[in-house]
Amino acid sequence: GTNFPVEYRCAPIFEHNALAGTVVNFTDISTRKDREAALRESEERFRQIAENIKEVFWVTDPVNNKKLYISPAYREIWGRDPAKIGSLSQSWLGLIHDDDRSRVLAAVTIKQMKGHYDEEYRIVRDDGSVRWIKDRAFPVRSESGEVYRMIGLAEDITERKQAQQDLLERYTEVAVLHEVSQVILSAVD
């Protein structure tokens, strides 16, 4: 014989107010069990990705301005527990550097729903350290075309920004040395 999962239901049969028997119905639930297993596997793969990438993966409801999910990397980059995030404005917008906040807020308002949001900005962590963030967002549309979810990736690009700054400083030093050497050479002639 073949083993397969079943669901069974029992119902009593009464005749003249006395129990006369029981009807037992068995239903093959193999398909449902297979779907449940596939869903668990899919959720496990998502969890493995979200918990192990160094970028922050986030999902929001743009209609109600609510966070639906923020990956654990948020703790590493922002320095805050993603599970304790209240409103988006307090946890995210409130940490954006004052000089970047209005530009980023405008980009969120104008670009996110269109799928053109790709911003670099600074955050100021609770410990006072400044981190550079590259944040991208992608709208998820319903069958009717309405945006009902926003998904995004935010990565810490502080090291890249520091390397760019270091390179610019070195370039400036070389340019100054070149100018000085030209002045010295022209004086010698």
Side-chain angles (χ1 to χ4, degrees):
T2 303
N3 290 331
F4 56 90
V6 295
E7 178 179 79
Y8 71 94
R9 293 186 180 149
C10 298
I13 299 174
F14 291 98
E15 286 184 8
H16 309 291
N17 289 334
L19 183 63
T22 304
V23 173
V24 179
N25 180 21
F26 291 91
T27 304
D28 180 352
I29 58 170
S30 299
T31 303
R32 183 176 84 196
K33 290 292 187 181
D34 290 345
R35 286 186 192 138
E36 289 171 355
L39 179 60
R40 278 191 305 278
E41 289 173 16
S42 177
E43 288 172 345
E44 178 64 15
R45 283 190 301 272
F46 170 80
R47 187 189 63 74
Q48 289 171 346
I49 292 168
E51 290 181 1
N52 290 292
I53 61 173
K54 63 181 182 171
E55 294 84 6
V56 175
F57 174 70
W58 53 267
V59 182
T60 62
D61 173 350
V63 176
N64 297 308
N65 192 31
K66 288 186 175 181
K67 72 137 177 128
L68 300 176
Y69 179 80
I70 298 180
S71 67
Y74 184 84
R75 181 189 325 272
E76 184 68 29
I77 297 174
W78 267 260
R80 290 188 172 180
D81 184 349
K84 294 182 180 176
I85 294 172
S87 73
L88 290 176
S89 59
Q90 290 174 342
S91 63
W92 173 74
L93 190 58
L95 293 177
I96 295 177
H97 193 283
D98 289 341
D99 294 343
D100 299 336
R101 190 174 297 123
S102 62
R103 174 183 54 81
V104 173
L105 188 55
V108 166
T109 305
I110 297 166
K111 296 179 178 180
Q112 267 193 0
M113 297 296 254
K114 296 177 183 177
H116 302 295
Y117 181 79
D118 186 349
E119 296 295 316
E120 292 183 3
Y121 54 87
R122 293 164 290 174
I123 60 168
V124 181
R125 294 169 39 131
D126 292 335
D127 64 5
S129 63
V130 175
R131 308 299 297 171
W132 275 94
I133 305 298
K134 179 173 180 61
D135 198 9
R136 293 164 303 216
F138 312 93
V140 178
R141 299 183 186 282
S142 66
E143 289 182 12
S144 64
E146 298 295 317
V147 175
Y148 73 101
R149 294 279 186 271
M150 194 65 63
I151 59 171
L153 282 172
E155 69 179 301
D156 185 342
I157 59 167
T158 305
E159 288 180 14
R160 186 186 87 196
K161 286 291 195 176
Q162 186 60 51
Q164 288 174 337
Q165 183 63 34
D166 292 347
L167 189 59
L168 181 60
E169 288 172 9
R170 300 301 171 264
Y171 175 77
T172 303
E173 290 171 4
V174 168
V176 168
L177 288 173
H178 177 72
E179 285 181 34
V180 169
S181 67
Q182 292 301 315
V183 169
I184 291 171
L185 288 174
S186 64
V188 172
D189 289 338

